[in-house]
Amino acid sequence: MTQPSERIVRQFCEAWDRRDMPSILALMSDDIIYQNVPQPPFRGRQAAAAFLAPIVSKATAIEFKLLALSVAADGSSVLTEREDLLHFGSKVVKIPLMGIFVLRNGLIAEWRDYADGASVAAEFQRAGVSLAPAQHT
Amino acid sequence: MTQPSERIVRQFCEAWDRRDMPSILALMSDDIIYQNVPQPPFRGRQAAAAFLAPIVSKATAIEFKLLALSVAADGSSVLTEREDLLHFGSKVVKIPLMGIFVLRNGLIAEWRDYADGASVAAEFQRAGVSLAPAQHT
């Protein structure tokens, strides 16, 4: 049986696939802590949105490909292995990564992704996409 | 109830904590594919051992700290969020990472760790530890 936490994370990934920023934000808690480890975290939905919205609006297609997903025994955390694909016209940024989602009250309260930062930066550069510098709060 | 696959991964982490190379290798399948993503994988127990044994023998203490662990619904994969600590005398290399272990016949057949490569390299350099160049086969 699919647990509620798994359903929420799958809904979140599907919202990314639709580039549906309102749905993405609606699944985050107000006080979400979002981190691309080991970068400093973004604290709060607004800070996360300020970083993520430009990516979502620039991308012409997005796919959060779930390679593996498992739910912790107490149901509070969902661990994923993914390949995130961000299309910018004919260019594709491919990010192999793992991510953990900690759920509270049906919302994502913590989201940590682990990837090789230099490779991700090189992929964005190769695709000719410049991201605004992160404003950590 | 702890699933067999979880038990194997916990045993594997404990073998690292003991710096017990024979036990580490005994929990790997002959044809293990071990990868520090996005580096190319090591194929086979011997190739993995050639990369890992020098780290284990140089370290004066090791701790694979399990921050989160979850088992995929079919029991075949174990996903972890960890902080791996490698002590070299008074210096500590801290690696925040996530890793996935795919089990077959009670052994680890695939092991992929996801971390920020540049940070890991900087941590080793700061600790004054040079690793032999990886021989990928």
Side-chain angles (χ1 to χ4, degrees):
Chain A
M1 208 188 69
T2 306
Q3 297 196 45
S5 49
E6 172 171 351
R7 214 160 45 228
I8 291 157
V9 169
R10 290 193 183 276
Q11 282 171 8
F12 188 70
C13 293
E14 286 159 15
W16 275 92
D17 291 354
R18 293 193 310 272
R19 287 173 295 146
D20 177 352
M21 203 64 207
S23 295
I24 290 169
L25 296 178
L27 289 165
M28 295 178 171
S29 73
D30 255 1
D31 59 350
I32 186 174
I33 299 177
Y34 160 56
Q35 186 174 15
N36 284 313
V37 179
Q39 299 302 313
F42 299 95
R43 294 179 185 278
R45 190 193 280 130
Q46 276 203 318
F51 176 70
L52 296 171
I55 300 174
V56 171
S57 69
K58 280 184 189 172
T60 51
I62 293 178
E63 192 184 355
F64 272 26
K65 214 190 276 182
L66 283 165
L67 307 177
L69 179 151
S70 61
V71 183
D74 67 357
S76 67
S77 305
V78 178
L79 283 72
T80 60
E81 185 186 31
R82 311 196 310 270
E83 187 180 47
D84 290 357
L85 302 173
L86 306 170
H87 295 256
F88 300 94
S90 61
K91 306 288 181 60
V92 193
V93 168
K94 288 187 191 185
I95 311 176
L97 79 167
M98 287 184 75
I100 179 167
F101 301 87
V102 180
L103 286 291
R104 269 197 298 275
N105 305 319
L107 295 172
I108 297 167
E110 297 175 32
W111 173 19
R112 286 183 293 282
D113 273 346
Y114 291 76
D116 182 56
S119 309
V120 174
E123 282 278 288
F124 273 101
Q125 191 164 29
R126 203 181 43 76
V129 179
S130 63
L131 300 175
Q135 301 296 324
H136 295 282
T137 57
Chain B
M1 206 188 69
T2 306
Q3 297 195 44
S5 48
E6 172 172 350
R7 214 160 44 229
I8 291 157
V9 170
R10 290 193 183 276
Q11 282 171 7
F12 188 69
C13 293
E14 287 159 15
W16 275 92
D17 291 355
R18 294 192 311 271
R19 287 172 294 146
D20 177 352
M21 203 63 208
S23 295
I24 290 169
L25 296 178
L27 288 164
M28 295 178 171
S29 73
D30 253 2
D31 60 351
I32 186 174
I33 299 177
Y34 160 56
Q35 186 174 15
N36 285 313
V37 179
Q39 300 302 314
F42 299 95
R43 295 181 183 279
R45 189 193 280 128
Q46 274 203 318
F51 175 70
L52 296 172
I55 300 174
V56 171
S57 69
K58 279 183 188 173
T60 51
I62 293 178
E63 191 183 356
F64 271 26
K65 214 190 275 185
L66 283 165
L67 306 177
L69 178 151
S70 62
V71 183
D74 67 359
S76 68
S77 305
V78 178
L79 284 72
T80 60
E81 184 186 30
R82 310 197 310 270
E83 187 180 47
D84 290 355
L85 303 172
L86 306 171
H87 295 254
F88 299 94
S90 61
K91 305 288 181 59
V92 192
V93 169
K94 288 187 191 184
I95 310 176
L97 79 166
M98 287 185 74
I100 179 168
F101 300 87
V102 180
L103 287 291
R104 270 198 296 275
N105 304 321
L107 295 173
I108 297 167
E110 297 175 31
W111 174 19
R112 286 183 291 284
D113 273 346
Y114 291 74
D116 182 55
S119 309
V120 174
E123 282 278 289
F124 273 102
Q125 192 165 27
R126 203 182 44 75
V129 179
S130 62
L131 299 176
Q135 302 296 325
H136 295 282
T137 55

